[in-house]
Every structure is written in C-alpha cells, then in structure tokens.
Amino acid sequence: MFGNLDFDVIRRALPYLFYEGMTFTLTLTGLAALGGLIFGTALALMRLSGLKLLGRIAGVYVDFMRSLPLVLVIFWFYFLVPYIGQWVTGAARPISVGAFASSLITFIMFEAAYFSEIMRAGIQSISRGQPAAASALGLTYAQTMRYVVLPQAFRNMLPVLITQTIVLFQDTSLVYVLSITDFLGAASKVAQRDGRLVEMYLFAAIVYFTISCIASYGVRRLQARIAIIR
Amino acid sequence: MIEISHVNKWYSPTFQVLTDCTTNVTKGEVVVVCGPSGSGKSTLIKCVNALEPFQSGDILVDGTKVNDPKTDLPKLRSRVGMVFQHFELFPHLKIIDNLCLAQEKVLGRGHDKAQTKGMQLLERVGLKEQAQKFPAQLSGGQQQRVAIARALAMDPIVMLFDEPTSALDPEMVSEVLDVMVDLAREGMTMMVVTHEMGFARKVANRVIFMDRGEIVEDAAKDDFFGKPRSDRAQKFLSKILSH
C-alpha cells in the first residue's frame, strides 16, 4: 500500500511548511490566546460585577459566540469587517483589513467567550475571605482584583487555559476558508501542486498530533506541580 | 475610637442578626466580645470596618462614619487592622510580600521601606526566617502570626480580631495569644471576638456578651467574671469555664 508513496516530497517542502505555515499558525495561536484571555477576563469581570446590565451584555455575548460554529464566524467576519469598518469610520468604501488581521480579531472574539467562562470559574473558586482580607487592608475593588483575585484565579485555571489553547491551536487550521497559508494551508498547497495528498495530509496530522500531545503532557505535569503548591 | 450606636442588621425581612447594638471602644482599651455561636459577634465586628453592611444605626471609627456613602472606605479600612478566623493570607505571595502588598499599593510606601517594616514585624512575631516561604508552607499558628504582622504593617489605630484562634490546633493557640497579649500591653486598641476566656481575664478591660444578635451584657472584666447580671451570661460562662 505504501509502495508508491513519495515521502521525499515532505522533506523538500519542510522549509515552506514550517517557516511560513507553522510560523503563521503559532503566531495566530499565541496572539489569539493572549487577546482572548484579556478580553475574556474582562467579560468574566463584567458577569461577576453585580451590575445587572453589564452582566447581561457579557452573558448574551458569550452565549451568542458559543452557539455558532467557528468556521461560520471566521467566514462571516471576514466579509463583514470591511463594511463595519466603513460604517464606523464613515469611509467612502469598505476598509480592507487583510486576512491575518481579520482572522486574528475573529479568534480573539471567539476564544474570549470560552476563556471568560474559564476565568469566571477560576474567580468563583477563590474563597470569599480573600477579597474580604484585601478590602480590610484598604485595597480598592480594582486593586483586589488585580493583585489578589485574578493572579490566583489565573494560576488555578492555568491547566484548563492551556488545554483550551491547544484546542485553539488545532482550530486555527479553519482559516483555510480564507485561503490563508497556515501550516495546514501550506501542506494542502504542496499536496495539490505535487499531487501528493496522502503524504502531506498524513504528515500534517502527525505534526498536529505531536505538538498537541507534548503540550497535553506538559499540562499534566503542571497540574501536579500546582497541586503541591496549594 | 469605635462608637457603635443602635445598629440593626437583617439578612432577610424576617431574619434579624443584630438588634439595637450599642457600645463603644475607647483608645487603648481591649474589649472582648463573646457569646454562643450564631449570636452575631462576628457580624458585629465586621460591621466596624464595613465588610458587612447594616440597615440602621451608626458606627463611627475615629470620628469617621462607616455607613456614610461618602466615606472613603479603602482609606478608613487601611487604618483598621483585621485578623480573620481563617488567616486569609494571600497564598500566591511570599510571606514578606503578603506584608508589603498593601503598604505599597495603599499607603504608597517605597519597596525598601515596606520590606524593612515587614521584616521588623516578622521578627517581632518570631517568623523572620520564614519571610521567603509561601503561606502553605507554614503551620496554622505561624500563618495567623503573619496575618497579625500584616495588619500591623499598616500602622493601624485599632485592631479587630475575628475568632483568631478558633481554626487553630490546640497546641498553636498560645503562640498566637502571646502575640495578642503583647500587643494589648503595648496599648493597642483592640476589639476581639473570642472564646478564649483566659485571654479575656489577662488583658481585657471590658467584656461584651452577645446572644441572639443582642448585646446582653457589657461590663468591666472583673464584674463580668465575678458575677454576670444576666442568666444567659451565667449559663454561658458556667458551660465554657467548667472544663
């Protein structure tokens, strides 16, 4: 069965696959995770703020994002952003944002919904005595959150946050709908060009599998370490 | 220093936790609050620095009205030290950083000055060697001494203790009480919710006995231990002192 497979095609495509494809995938994953975490934490704070309107807005946003398929969001957002930009800035024609910016914004907005639920659980996991002690020392609400509650919530939730980022790493491959050259996109292009679909997709699968596996193993070790500190 | 007048608090329209509580703590005085569990003593002490809101009555701390919406609560709280039943050290910070956080962020002290002050206070509670450890690495008694040092680092004008020894193993109670006795003898104004009657006998000026949300008895220490006026206080004392 493997008799007429040409694995040398992979070797020849390696520079292209990794320098262009993987660099893009990792950049998008990293920036989207960072942005999603910041925006998501803001959403979580809104939901826990006790202000009904703020909480409602954040709740609706999170539910909305979580009930749409990611690929649809990417697709729609890519076509809508230029028009939203035009409407906001009042420009004469739709603003071109580029595929990278568009996909990054989409992933940040989408991931924020998931990260916000994780951070909300993290914040709620901290005993009420902690913010009480911080307040008793004279820290304001914002200082209490910044120096006492959020660092603990983040630390407690770090394994879950990384697991979600591994999922994000795999999900970034969906940017193929915008014909962007991420890792899978690069592999796909080589596969089409050289007519070596089986080899290239097999190789792409192995790479995604390996990276995700190593990261998951790292998460398990991290969990064990956090359990000791606590 | 602390003036509590006619404070009422309800958790729900039918459940009143504090009923017309009136008392005061003058400068340099040590007042022990005792009573059966659920009597509202912890709630009352938490009202003093507004960690618990109350519906009617007034509390003044050093002339500032706690329940005035215009009061700068963080500023007021920074001058009132509080020690909790469950220590509530910040587990993600080293011991010394636990002592420095509020000094730097609230009082605006420089890092070096805060560190020096923190180390002095750790030495005072006998825990200088533990400065670089994390709270989870310390015993309960050590953690509570750190918590006291953390409150003292803010140079408070009054200290509130909410059952500071209730969560401790018996052999660790005395190391915490020793620190508190020293503090009382140095003239610190203190309001202490506790069941440690030995502590009350040693350093208290007055004892307040609470039951079902009311201040039943508010008497000088010797009067209270000599001959409590109310039945309820007598019963409580006979139970707690019979061992």
Side-chain angles (χ1 to χ4, degrees), chain A residues 127-141 143 146-149 151-152 155 228-230, chain B residues 49 51 74-75 77-78 80-82 84 87-93 98 101-102 105-106 136 150-151 154:
Chain A
S127 81
R128 291 181 59 184
Q130 286 285 307
S135 303
L137 284 165
L139 271 70
T140 60
Y141 177 79
Q143 288 175 324
R146 174 159 172 215
Y147 299 114
V148 176
V149 175
Q152 292 186 57
R155 197 191 64 178
I228 292 169
I229 297 168
R230 252 196 284 186
Chain B
N49 63 352
L51 285 182
K75 194 177 171 198
R77 286 172 177 149
S78 72
V80 179
M82 186 157 206
F84 295 84
F87 331 134
E88 303 300 349
L89 296 180
F90 305 134
H92 61 301
L93 298 178
N98 263 277
L101 178 68
K105 305 301 175 195
V106 178
R150 179 176 71 177
M154 304 295 284

Side-chain angles (χ1 to χ4, degrees), chain B residues 63-220:
Chain B
T64 309
K65 200 166 154 189
V66 170
N67 49 315
D68 185 340
K70 288 197 284 290
T71 299
D72 182 356
L73 275 182
K75 194 177 171 198
L76 177 83
R77 286 172 177 149
S78 72
R79 304 172 67 208
V80 179
M82 186 157 206
V83 175
F84 295 84
Q85 184 177 2
H86 296 287
F87 331 134
E88 303 300 349
L89 296 180
F90 305 134
H92 61 301
L93 298 178
K94 287 179 183 163
I95 297 302
I96 184 67
D97 296 331
N98 263 277
L99 271 75
C100 289
L101 178 68
Q103 286 191 71
E104 291 174 29
K105 305 301 175 195
V106 178
L107 302 180
R109 277 188 193 144
H111 184 66
D112 292 342
K113 215 176 154 198
Q115 289 256 330
T116 313
K117 176 102 185 168
M119 289 309 286
Q120 276 170 4
L121 285 162
L122 282 181
E123 187 166 14
R124 174 175 172 174
V125 298
L127 295 169
K128 206 172 139 196
E129 286 71 34
Q130 320 290 336
Q132 299 303 324
K133 289 190 182 166
F134 284 94
Q137 295 170 289
L138 269 58
S139 73
Q142 289 174 324
Q143 288 192 49
Q144 194 61 299
R145 278 143 68 199
V146 172
I148 295 173
R150 179 176 71 177
L152 291 175
M154 304 295 284
D155 296 319
I157 52 171
V158 52
M159 287 281 286
L160 308 174
F161 293 83
D162 182 14
E163 305 206 29
T165 57
S166 306
L168 293 175
D169 289 337
E171 77 267 24
M172 294 172 184
V173 169
S174 65
E175 65 187 73
V176 172
L177 288 179
D178 286 347
V179 173
M180 291 168 61
V181 167
D182 284 348
L183 206 55
R185 293 200 168 135
E186 281 165 29
M188 175 61 81
T189 311
M190 292 162 68
M191 189 167 173
V192 186
V193 173
T194 186
H195 294 294
E196 298 293 335
M197 288 303 125
F199 171 81
R201 278 180 194 239
K202 220 183 226 171
V203 292
N205 300 105
R206 268 173 41 230
V207 179
I208 291 172
F209 174 74
M210 288 184 75
D211 192 17
R212 289 176 218 151
E214 286 173 79
I215 293 180
V216 178
E217 196 131 343
D218 184 347

